Amino acid sequence: MRDGGRAQILGAVRRALKARTAPARPTHLVPQRARLQAPELRALFVAQAEGAGAKVQSVPNDVALAEALTALAAAHGGVPVVAPASPLAKLPWGASAPALRPVASGDALAVSTAVAGLAETGSLALASGPENPVLSAFLPEHHAVVLPASALLGPSEDLWAFLREQAGAEGLVFPRTLHWITGPSRSGDIEMTMLFGAHGPLSLTILIQEDR
Amino acid sequence: MSFQVQSQDFIARSKDALADAPLQSALGKLRTGLSVRRREAVAALPEFDALREEAAALRDYTLATLDQQLETFEAQVRARGGEVHWAPDAASARAIILELCQRYGAKKVLKGKSMVTEELELNEHLEAHGLRCVETDLGEYIVQLRRERPSHIVAPAIHLRKEDVAESFAAHHVGREHADRSTAEALMAEAREELRAHFLSAEVGITGANFAIAETGSTVIVTNEGNGDLTQSLPKVHIAVTGIEKVVPTLEDASTLLRVLARSATGQEASVYTTFSTGPRRPEDPDGPEAYHVVLVDNGRSAMLGTEFEAMLRCIRCGACLNHCPVYGQVGGHAYGSVYPGPMGAVLTPQLAGLDESVHLPTASTFCGACEAVCPVKIPLPSLLRRWRQRAHEARLDGDRARWLLRLWAFFAARPRLYHPLLSAATTVLGRLAGPGGTFRRLLGGKAWTESRNFPAPEGGSFLASLQGEEFAPTPRKAPSR
C-alpha cells in the first residue's frame, strides 16, 4: 500500500493532465509600498511593526543594547536569557550578567537576533541555528529581537534574493526553521476578541542596532 | 467513500441553527468582524486585485504541472533529510501517520490546526489506537474538549460564547475549582497554562501546511498564536500533513500567496507567525525536531483535476467565502454536516463525500456572488455550485416536488402563446390581491418565505412587455400600514 501510494497518486495526476501544455507562469508582482530608500524604509518598518503590536526602540551601541536588554528583563522580573552561541553573549554586559543557557518555559525574557527586517509588513525574519534557537521566540513570557539597522529590507522578495546570493554549489542554504514574526502572539478564538499572549510571548520588543 | 459527512440533515440542522439564540449572537460577531477587517486591509494595498489575478494564475499553473511540482518537492525534502509519504486516500493517510507515531514510541501527540487532519478524522483514529491527541490551537482545543467539530475553517469555535468556553474548562481542567472564568482574558490565560504542560510532554507534533514549496522542500504554516511552532519544535518528531494541491513552485510564489491569504482570512497585513520548515534539525542546532515527515494526501483531489471542478483545487483555505456568505452567516458551520462548510465546502463536500450524501449543500446558496468576489484565487464558486445542482437534477437527486414544479414551468415556458397571457393575468391578479404596502403576509405554498418576511407583490406589467414597448403601469398602491 505505502510503496504503491506514490505511483497511484502521480499516475492519477498524469492521467488527468494528459498531455496538457502548462499555461504561462504569471509575471511576479511586488507591491510598490516597500520600494523605498533608507529613511523612509525605516519609518515604514517601525510603523508596520508598531501597528502589529510590537514595541520598537533604537540602540546606538553595544553598551546601550546590553543595558536595554537588562532593563527589559528586569521590568518583567528576570534577566535576559541568551543562547550561549549567540554573538549577544559577548556584549559588554557589565555587572548585570545575562543567563547564558537554553530558554526554559516561564523565563521572563529571551533574546533572538533577526537576519532581516521586512518593512512591507513590519516583520522580523529569524533563521534557526546555534546562535538562534527556535524556542527563544516561543517559550519565554516576553521576547526581544535584535535587528541590525543594515538588515532592514523591503518586501520578502528581498530576503529570498539575499538567500539566493548566499547560495553555494548545493543550492540554497536554508535553516531548519525560518520565521517571519509580526507582532506578539495573539488569538481571537474566544468571541472574536483579539488578545495578546496566546501561546507565545505576551510582548515583542524590537531593538534596532545602529550601524557601527 | 472515505470522507464522512452528516450533510443529509442540512435542512433540519439549519432550522435548529436559526432558532438557536446564542448561536445567532455568536454569528453576528462574524458578520461584522472579519469582513470589515478584510475590507480595510484590502483598501490599504492598491495592488490587491492584481495580486489576486496573479495568485489565481499561479495556482492554475501549479495544478497544470502538479506531477512535476510534487516530484521536485519530494526530492528537495529528501535532500534535506526529511521523508515524504504518499497517501491516496484517508485510510492510507491514517495508517501512515499511526505507523509513524508508533515507530517513535509516541504516547502523546500534539496537533497544530489542520483542516486536512479533520477531513481524515485523524484524532479518532489515533485515539482508538491508544494515543492521546491534544489540539493546541485555542479554538480547536475548545471544540475538542466539547467533542465537537470546528464550525469554521479558520475560527473553529466561532459558534461559541465565552460562557460555553468557561463551562467546558470547568468540566475538564482539574484542580482549578476557584478559577475566574468571567473574561476572555482569564480563559485564554487558563488555556495557555493547561496547554503548556502538554507542549512539554509530547513525543510527536502534527501540523498541516498552508503551502509546500517545491524549490526548497519546505512546508509553511501560518498562525497567530504560536501553537503551531511549539507543536513542531518541542517534540522529537514533526509530521506535516497536507493535500497534494498545496504545493507551490518557488519562494516568490509563496510570497504572493501569503499576501492574499492573511488579508483574506483575518484582515491582517501578515499573520503573526509565518513559519518555513525544512528538514529535521541540523546537527549543530540546539532545538527543533530530530525527524521531519511530510504526508501528501490525495483523498479525492486528483479526481478533480481535468474536470469542471478543477478550479476548486486553487483554494488556499482562507475562509473569506464563509465570512461573506449570507447562508453561512445565518446557519453557521455545523449545519453543513461537513468539516468544509460555507461556499467552498458546498463545492468540495459533494466531490469528497459524494453528491448523494450532500445534495442539499449546493442548494444552500442565494447565488449572490459575494464568495467569488472576495475569493483570493478567484474560484468561480457560484458557477461550480450551479454545476452541482445540474448534476443533482440529472441524477434525480433534487426531489419530486422540485422536479415536478420545474417540469410544470418548462411546459409553459416552452409555449410563449400560453405563457405570456397567463403571466400577465397572474401579475395583475396578484398585484390587486396584495395587502398594504404591496406585499403578502401569507401566500399559498410560500410559507417558508412569509414566515419570516412579507412577499412582495408584482407591480404590474412584465419585463418582456416593457421591453416590447408596452407601457409600464404599476398597480395603484394602498398606503402601507406597518
Side-chain angles (χ1 to χ4, degrees):
Chain A
M1 183 81 196
R2 289 189 53 176
D3 294 337
R6 183 180 191 279
Q8 195 178 332
I9 292 175
L10 286 175
V13 169
R14 289 192 179 116
R15 276 192 304 280
L17 295 174
K18 296 194 188 86
R20 195 194 302 191
T21 30
R25 268 182 71 90
T27 317
H28 183 62
L29 172 72
V30 182
Q32 278 302 310
R33 180 196 283 173
R35 290 283 177 228
L36 297 168
Q37 292 311 306
E40 290 82 15
L41 194 69
R42 168 96 169 238
L44 176 65
F45 175 80
V46 172
Q48 290 290 81
E50 288 178 345
K55 293 172 204 128
V56 185
Q57 60 188 82
S58 161
V59 283
N61 54 50
D62 285 355
V63 174
L65 176 58
E67 279 170 6
L69 289 170
T70 304
L72 258 179
H76 299 298
V79 295
V81 177
V82 174
S86 167
L88 299 172
K90 298 197 172 64
L91 284 178
W93 291 99
S96 51
L100 296 179
R101 57 166 171 81
V103 68
S105 185
D107 278 343
L109 181 92
V111 192
S112 305
T113 47
V115 286
L118 304 175
E120 181 186 348
T121 48
S123 309
L124 298 159
L126 269 61
S128 67
E131 300 177 0
N132 226 26
V134 173
L135 294 173
S136 297
F138 295 95
L139 277 184
E141 296 293 293
H142 299 271
H143 187 210
V145 179
V146 179
L147 170 69
S150 58
L152 259 181
L153 303 174
S156 52
E157 282 80 355
D158 288 356
L159 175 65
W160 305 143
F162 170 74
L163 291 171
R164 288 187 207 291
E165 272 168 32
Q166 296 195 319
E170 291 112 56
L172 278 182
V173 182
F174 226 70
R176 148 66 196 166
T177 317
L178 178 76
H179 280 110
W180 299 350
I181 299 181
T182 316
S185 161
R186 72 199 65 184
S187 175
D189 273 346
I190 299 176
E191 293 194 345
M192 313 231 26
T193 314
M194 197 53 94
L195 300 170
F196 287 128
H199 290 295
L202 298 152
S203 76
L204 171 69
T205 307
I206 302 169
L207 299 123
I208 301 182
Q209 196 178 22
E210 306 302 339
D211 297 338
R212 271 162 271 182
Chain B
M1 280 287 170
S2 52
F3 181 53
Q4 300 300 316
V5 294
Q6 289 82 41
S7 306
Q8 300 276 26
D9 309 328
F10 177 75
I11 292 172
R13 284 166 184 258
S14 318
K15 283 188 180 157
D16 293 346
L18 289 170
D20 184 340
L23 174 68
Q24 289 300 320
S25 106
L27 289 171
K29 294 199 174 168
L30 173 75
R31 287 194 286 271
T32 53
L34 290 173
S35 54
V36 174
R37 280 187 231 157
R38 176 195 171 275
R39 197 161 61 231
E40 288 167 358
V42 165
L45 184 66
E47 293 95 340
F48 187 77
D49 268 334
L51 287 169
R52 278 177 74 213
E53 201 72 55
E54 183 189 338
L58 185 62
R59 296 296 292 133
D60 282 347
Y61 169 82
T62 309
L63 292 170
T65 54
L66 189 59
D67 52 337
Q68 301 161 38
Q69 305 298 343
L70 289 170
E71 283 185 317
T72 308
F73 174 75
E74 179 191 42
Q76 287 300 321
V77 173
R78 288 198 174 146
R80 291 171 160 88
E83 279 184 47
V84 176
H85 311 266
W86 303 71
D89 53 30
S92 58
R94 288 190 290 255
I96 289 166
I97 298 164
L98 175 64
E99 198 188 304
L100 286 171
C101 291
Q102 289 168 341
R103 191 202 294 183
Y104 294 103
K107 292 185 186 70
K108 188 186 281 182
V109 175
L110 298 174
K111 292 278 309 296
K113 184 170 161 25
S114 149
M115 286 314 297
V116 69
T117 60
E118 292 284 347
E119 175 188 326
L120 300 173
E121 301 195 352
L122 181 65
N123 292 4
E124 289 80 353
H125 186 72
L126 296 183
E127 284 177 351
H129 289 81
L131 291 160
R132 170 92 193 267
C133 291
V134 182
E135 291 288 346
T136 62
D137 170 87
L138 179 57
E140 289 278 348
Y141 175 68
I142 294 166
V143 297
Q144 188 189 28
L145 287 184
R146 301 173 64 87
R147 297 252 150 219
E148 291 179 359
R149 293 258 161 205
S151 67
H152 187 291
I153 61 171
V154 173
I158 190 88
H159 58 291
L160 297 171
R161 300 164 307 162
K162 65 174 187 295
E163 291 77 16
D164 303 317
V165 179
E167 193 186 285
S168 303
F169 284 7
H172 289 91
H173 292 169
V174 182
R176 293 180 185 271
E177 283 72 24
H178 305 291
D180 166 29
R181 299 196 173 98
S182 60
T183 61
E185 285 86 348
L187 291 166
M188 195 170 79
E190 183 174 334
R192 180 186 169 97
E193 281 181 31
E194 285 283 328
L195 280 162
R196 192 53 76 91
H198 288 302
F199 277 124
L200 298 166
S201 60
E203 295 83 15
V204 170
I206 299 177
T207 68
N210 291 87
F211 305 107
I213 303 174
E215 178 186 12
T216 55
S218 310
T219 52
V220 184
I221 59 167
V222 175
T223 77
N224 278 324
E225 298 183 5
N227 64 303
D229 293 283
L230 289 168
T231 296
Q232 66 166 55
S233 303
L234 282 164
K236 61 186 178 187
V237 184
H238 175 201
I239 304 174
V241 187
T242 191
I244 53 170
E245 83 284 13
K246 290 292 186 75
V247 68
V248 299
T250 67
L251 292 164
E252 282 78 3
D253 298 333
S255 289
T256 296
L257 292 168
L258 287 164
R259 279 189 184 101
V260 294
L261 174 63
R263 288 174 174 88
S264 302
T266 52
Q268 287 169 287
E269 297 256 325
S271 304
V272 177
Y273 302 110
T274 301
T275 306
F276 301 77
S277 304
T278 314
R281 74 155 79 167
R282 314 293 186 249
E284 65 280 14
D285 282 354
D287 55 18
E290 288 157 25
Y292 173 64
H293 296 267
V294 182
V295 182
L296 296 171
V297 180
D298 185 337
N299 204 29
R301 288 162 174 78
S302 63
M304 296 168 78
L305 268 183
T307 72
E308 54 188 353
F309 296 104
E310 181 175 308
M312 192 61 222
L313 292 171
R314 288 182 200 157
C315 180
I316 56 174
R317 306 289 193 266
C318 70
C321 61
L322 281 61
N323 302 340
H324 291 77
C325 176
V327 177
Y328 179 92
Q330 291 293 327
V331 301
H334 285 158
Y336 291 80
S338 163
V339 297
Y340 298 116
M344 59 77 71
V347 174
L348 206 50
T349 306
Q351 179 71 39
L352 300 182
L355 184 57
D356 48 347
E357 292 290 326
S358 54
V359 68
H360 297 304
L361 302 193
T363 66
S365 166
T366 63
F367 284 162
C368 73
C371 50
E372 182 173 3
V374 298
C375 178
V377 286
K378 305 188 91 164
I379 301 171
L381 289 157
S383 309
L384 299 182
L385 289 170
R386 196 175 289 116
R387 283 174 199 167
W388 277 127
R389 288 190 192 182
Q390 198 178 336
R391 285 202 186 185
H393 183 73
E394 285 160 10
R396 312 183 69 86
L397 292 168
D398 49 350
D400 289 342
R401 186 155 171 263
R403 300 182 71 81
W404 192 84
L405 285 170
L406 204 57
R407 218 177 295 142
L408 188 72
W409 178 80
F411 175 84
F412 288 107
R415 292 167 177 79
R417 280 162 177 255
L418 202 56
Y419 188 74
H420 293 305
L422 273 172
L423 188 69
S424 170
T427 43
T428 310
V429 171
L430 282 172
R432 298 240 166 94
L433 284 176
T439 58
F440 291 96
R441 285 193 190 181
R442 265 179 300 193
L443 195 66
L444 187 67
K447 191 167 160 238
W449 180 294
T450 56
E451 258 180 352
S452 54
R453 58 228 188 272
N454 290 356
F455 187 87
E459 295 191 2
S462 68
F463 172 72
L464 202 64
S466 52
L467 195 69
Q468 286 168 344
E470 278 181 32
E471 200 162 333
F472 178 68
T475 320
R477 284 245 154 112
K478 292 165 215 161
S481 66
R482 47 177 287 191

